[in-house]
Amino acid sequence: MNSKQIKTNWAQFIPLVTVFFFWGFVAASNDILIPVFKKAFDLSQGQSQLVSVAFYIAYTVGSIIYMLISLAIGKDLVNKIGYKNGLALGLIISALGTLLFYPAANMHSFPLMLSGLFIVALGFSLQQTVANPLAIALGPITTGAQRLTLAGGINNFGTTIGPLIVSFAIFGATASSDTEMSIESVKIPYLVLGVAFLLVAILLKMSSLPEHPETIEETVSEGSSLKSSALQYPQLILGMIAIFIYVGVEVSTASNLPAYMEKNLGLLTQNIAPYISLYWASLMIGRWTGAVEAFTDKMDLQKILRFVAPYLAFGVFLVVNAIAKHDLTPFYVYALIILVLIAADIASKGNPARMLLIFSVLGIIALLVGMTTNGMISVYAFISVGLFCSTLWPCIFTLAVSGLGKHTSQGSSFLIMMIMGGGIVSWLQGTVADSIGIQNSYIVGVVCFAYLAFYGWKVVSILKSQGIDFDKKISGGH
């Protein structure tokens, strides 16, 4: 699939996004496991964030293993075994990780639980290395970011229902304070998840996904095209830091939210799941909004979809929580906050750098409101960070690999390595919270968004020096 392709290949894209669903399901479910493990194993807030550390550090370890194997065989691993085989292998590794939940639950072992999550994420690392550039490659480069945004929207359908399903599996339909029993109840849903991993691996092997898609080629300057490594591109180096920080602020905002709601609002752990679900649904809302250009190049239809898509996604959240028999009354007001997202999306005009800058500034504002208010106002301010994180991954990823040409796969691996920020920043915020309080600890997120805003501003001049201008690309795509 090359840059001359004029339409998204939906027959190949749809099977691909199933793996995006799983990444979201498991990642968001961790936010329910964290407070449960904290009580069951008598952990501090910083120690409880080891769940995030184990999960996200596996992405770095996986990327390092990937690069070492590539060096040993003298060829890029994914290019050698094929993209479909890479996805299938990653799913099998993740399935093996779910098997550890059974003995871990029976033995009441926190380290073994962490080991299971680590292996699951190790498989995700290989899947991410393959799937992200592949999503960009399955259509024209002008809508690559929007296609990755759409895949992220499917990811966040998983993040929306993950906390609800895992919470139900742990606590049941009624409240329970028996956390030891809850630990044991974790093993069945994760075994089912392992079976699902294996079924999807078979589905992808039977799909029409290309084993060796053509590299995305960009029009770059002659000097840039002679570079021998992805690390020689400044947009990638700064983008690696941006991915580290972005995943960090996205994950830490959610993973520390249960502790904030328990301490400051007095809510029970089992009653927090709908709010965690809304946080991750917010990413789905934003990503469905940002993906409308992947569906049509008709401007009038895009304007309509920009209002329909976010409320359709919000409707999915409401329906899922209605099925789970949660009171929806507290959530209706959130429909007004979504209007801020729509306005920001329109203002970005589809330019990933401009979108990154605007959404990062809004993220800073949301966190500051959450830190300086009380009650449900602060909760919704923190939850709205999900809206403003929603399109940052595809923006950063697209900007960071733009112009890399034959080095795109290598650059992708370096970016996936930086997902470890989800664990490091979460642990950092948890540790800061132990010192200055959980609400004030969100200053960590403010600093993160400040760097992301800087990257959105700086990368424009870097890419223009290499002959890449996204405003021209976008205008040429309509």
Side-chain angles (χ1 to χ4, degrees):
M1 304 302 117
N2 57 35
S3 59
K4 295 180 180 179
Q5 186 173 334
I6 60 173
K7 290 185 178 180
T8 298
N9 191 323
W10 294 108
Q12 296 176 347
F13 183 79
I14 291 173
L16 176 66
V17 296
T18 55
V19 294
F20 285 79
F21 171 85
F22 285 130
W23 305 338
F25 184 99
V26 177
S29 298
N30 290 345
D31 296 331
I32 299 301
L33 294 181
I34 286 171
V36 172
F37 288 173
K38 181 180 178 182
K39 291 180 179 178
F41 300 113
D42 192 25
L43 308 172
S44 69
Q45 183 63 14
Q47 290 172 328
S48 71
Q49 295 301 318
L50 288 174
V51 170
S52 294
V53 173
F55 185 76
Y56 289 100
I57 205 73
Y59 282 96
T60 301
V61 174
S63 293
I64 292 173
I65 292 172
Y66 166 85
M67 285 187 287
L68 289 176
I69 293 175
S70 296
L71 286 172
I73 63 178
K75 185 177 182 180
D76 183 87
L77 175 63
V78 172
N79 288 337
K80 184 174 179 63
I81 68 176
Y83 276 65
K84 281 200 293 189
N85 287 333
L87 285 171
L89 177 59
L91 284 161
I92 291 170
I93 293 171
S94 294
L96 292 175
T98 63
L99 294 178
L100 281 182
F101 279 82
Y102 199 91
N106 288 338
M107 296 168 61
H108 201 71
S109 171
F110 184 51
L112 205 53
M113 285 281 188
L114 295 180
S115 299
L117 282 172
F118 179 87
I119 295 173
V120 169
L122 205 61
F124 285 0
S125 174
L126 180 55
Q127 296 167 41
Q128 290 251 22
T129 299
V130 174
N132 282 284
L134 189 55
I136 296 174
L138 296 178
I141 185 61
T142 51
T143 55
Q146 285 76 21
R147 204 156 34 254
L148 201 51
T149 299
L150 176 59
I154 303 300
N155 171 283
N156 291 118
F157 177 64
T159 61
T160 301
I161 67 174
L164 299 175
I165 292 176
V166 172
S167 180
F168 180 83
I170 294 174
F171 298 110
T174 57
S176 170
S177 59
D178 190 346
T179 51
E180 187 166 347
M181 182 183 295
S182 300
I183 291 293
E184 296 224 352
S185 66
V186 166
K187 58 190 178 185
I188 298 302
Y190 277 87
L191 286 177
V192 172
L193 189 62
V195 173
F197 286 152
L198 295 177
L199 291 176
V200 172
I202 296 171
L203 168 69
L204 290 175
K205 278 294 293 179
M206 296 173 62
S207 74
S208 62
L209 276 172
E211 284 287 14
H212 299 283
E214 297 178 37
T215 303
I216 299 171
E217 297 292 345
E218 295 282 2
T219 302
V220 297
S221 65
E222 185 176 347
S224 295
S225 64
L226 297 176
K227 293 179 179 177
S228 59
S229 169
L231 291 176
Q232 292 179 278
Y233 294 84
Q235 66 265 37
L236 177 67
I237 297 296
L238 294 177
M240 289 168 62
I241 299 172
I243 287 290
F244 179 96
I245 287 174
Y246 153 69
V247 179
V249 68
E250 176 192 275
V251 173
S252 64
T253 300
S255 62
N256 286 283
L257 189 58
Y260 172 71
M261 296 184 71
E262 287 176 349
K263 184 173 181 179
N264 291 48
L265 280 76
L267 290 182
L268 297 175
T269 301
Q270 53 265 45
N271 295 330
I272 291 172
Y275 295 94
I276 298 300
S277 174
L278 179 57
Y279 176 84
W280 293 106
S282 295
L283 279 99
M284 177 173 67
I285 292 166
R287 287 171 176 172
W288 285 23
T289 307
V292 298
E293 291 181 36
F295 289 101
T296 179
D297 58 1
K298 296 179 180 179
M299 298 301 292
D300 290 341
L301 184 55
Q302 284 183 16
K303 291 177 181 177
I304 296 172
L305 289 177
R306 275 197 170 89
F307 283 88
V308 173
Y311 288 105
L312 183 62
F314 185 51
V316 170
F317 162 78
L318 294 175
V319 168
V320 168
N321 277 272
I323 293 172
K325 301 186 186 305
H326 293 138
D327 180 14
L328 302 181
T329 306
F331 304 117
Y332 293 135
V333 69
Y334 203 68
L336 297 176
I337 302 176
I338 293 173
L339 291 173
V340 178
L341 166 79
I342 297 172
D345 182 69
I346 293 172
S348 71
K349 299 179 181 178
N351 183 308
R354 188 181 298 115
M355 182 175 289
L356 179 57
L357 178 58
I358 293 172
F359 278 52
S360 296
V361 171
L362 289 172
I364 291 173
I365 294 171
L367 286 175
L368 291 176
V369 170
M371 292 172 63
T372 54
T373 58
N374 297 303
M376 291 310 299
I377 293 177
S378 64
V379 170
Y380 283 125
F382 288 139
I383 289 175
S384 72
V385 170
L387 291 174
F388 309 128
C389 279
S390 60
T391 61
L392 300 194
W393 171 276
C395 288
I396 297 168
F397 205 97
T398 302
L399 292 166
V401 301
S402 290
L404 269 59
K406 66 181 181 180
H407 302 299
T408 299
S409 179
Q410 184 188 43
S412 173
S413 178
F414 282 123
L415 290 171
I416 299 307
M417 181 187 299
M418 305 311 288
I419 291 177
M420 66 177 175
I424 303 301
V425 177
S426 293
W427 168 81
L428 175 62
Q429 185 177 343
T431 302
V432 170
D434 289 333
S435 298
I436 64 174
I438 190 71
Q439 188 170 17
N440 291 332
S441 73
Y442 278 94
I443 189 65
V444 172
V446 172
V447 175
C448 289
F449 275 121
Y451 175 82
L452 296 176
F454 162 77
Y455 180 64
W457 167 76
K458 181 65 176 176
V459 75
V460 174
S461 59
I462 292 173
L463 292 178
K464 281 186 177 180
S465 70
Q466 299 174 19
I468 301 170
D469 188 334
F470 273 90
D471 278 325
K472 291 182 179 178
K473 284 179 176 294
I474 294 164
S475 63
H478 294 308

